[in-house]
Amino acid sequence: MSRAGSRAAIVAALTVSVVSAAAAAPAQADSQVTSVHGNQSGIGYSATMAGDRVITTLETGAFTATSDGRAVIVADAGGTPVGAIPLAFAAAGREITLTPEIDRNGTELTLRPAAQPLADIDAQERWNEQVQRGVFGALIGGAIGGVITIPFWIFVLPPLLGIAIGAGIGFLAAGGQPLIDAGIAYFTGQP
């Protein structure tokens, strides 16, 4: 890769790192604006992070999207490709996909994190933790329900019903409000 190509790669890496930071901490990104300006081997650029997006402007050269949509190519003023910005990468333990917007002149690129799926791993982890805590209570409640319904062993249904009701009560008593909150968050797709 030529000297201009290596410099363009630096611009691409900078853009990706700024977008990674925006995706990893969107709450902080909303309150800050970060700008970087430079001129590497004749390719002048500025990259600004605002909210959840990064806007990179080239003074010379142009951005073009690849035909497969996996990257954005950085070309010099003569149209020679000198670097590429990937539109999907791993950061902070997650896969981050970027959505590019290139202006008519091809000199301004706006990158935004693509919409993430609604499923939240944190809600699932909380739910699993609370279920593990509640299982012990369900076992004890089921045992108590079975003991209480011993006089009704002649009839099969009352003891089974007593065990089921006792297990349900024990499960909720051991898990309490955190179990209920985790269940609501998990089953409704909330974080």
Side-chain angles (χ1 to χ4, degrees):
M1 184 180 284
S2 68
R3 184 174 169 91
S6 64
R7 300 300 183 194
I10 292 171
V11 172
L14 173 65
T15 302
V16 169
S17 66
V18 171
V19 171
S20 297
Q28 289 179 333
D30 288 340
S31 63
Q32 300 176 15
V33 176
T34 305
S35 296
V36 177
H37 305 279
N39 187 327
Q40 302 296 325
S41 301
I43 300 176
Y45 66 90
S46 68
T48 304
M49 183 173 78
D52 68 343
R53 65 188 188 282
V54 175
I55 303 164
T56 305
T57 305
L58 298 177
E59 293 173 12
T60 58
F63 294 109
T64 55
T66 59
S67 60
D68 63 4
R70 294 184 180 189
V72 173
I73 302 296
V74 180
D76 64 13
T80 305
V82 294
I85 302 170
L87 297 177
F89 55 93
R94 327 184 304 192
E95 181 71 21
I96 306 233
T97 305
L98 304 174
T99 303
E101 295 174 22
I102 301 172
D103 74 344
R104 285 184 174 178
N105 300 327
T107 58
E108 185 174 285
L109 169 67
T110 302
L111 295 173
R112 297 174 191 259
Q116 299 297 321
L118 294 177
D120 183 76
I121 295 172
D122 290 337
Q124 182 179 6
E125 289 174 358
R126 284 194 312 268
W127 169 245
N128 290 340
E129 178 183 339
Q130 294 303 321
V131 166
Q132 288 174 0
R133 289 182 180 167
V135 167
F136 183 69
L139 290 173
I140 293 174
I144 293 172
V147 169
I148 291 174
T149 56
I150 284 179
F152 303 103
W153 279 106
I154 297 172
F155 307 106
V156 175
L157 187 59
L160 293 178
L161 190 59
I163 291 170
I165 291 172
I169 292 171
F171 184 70
L172 290 174
Q177 191 64 43
L179 172 72
I180 295 168
D181 293 342
I184 290 171
Y186 177 67
F187 289 110
T188 61
Q190 298 173 9

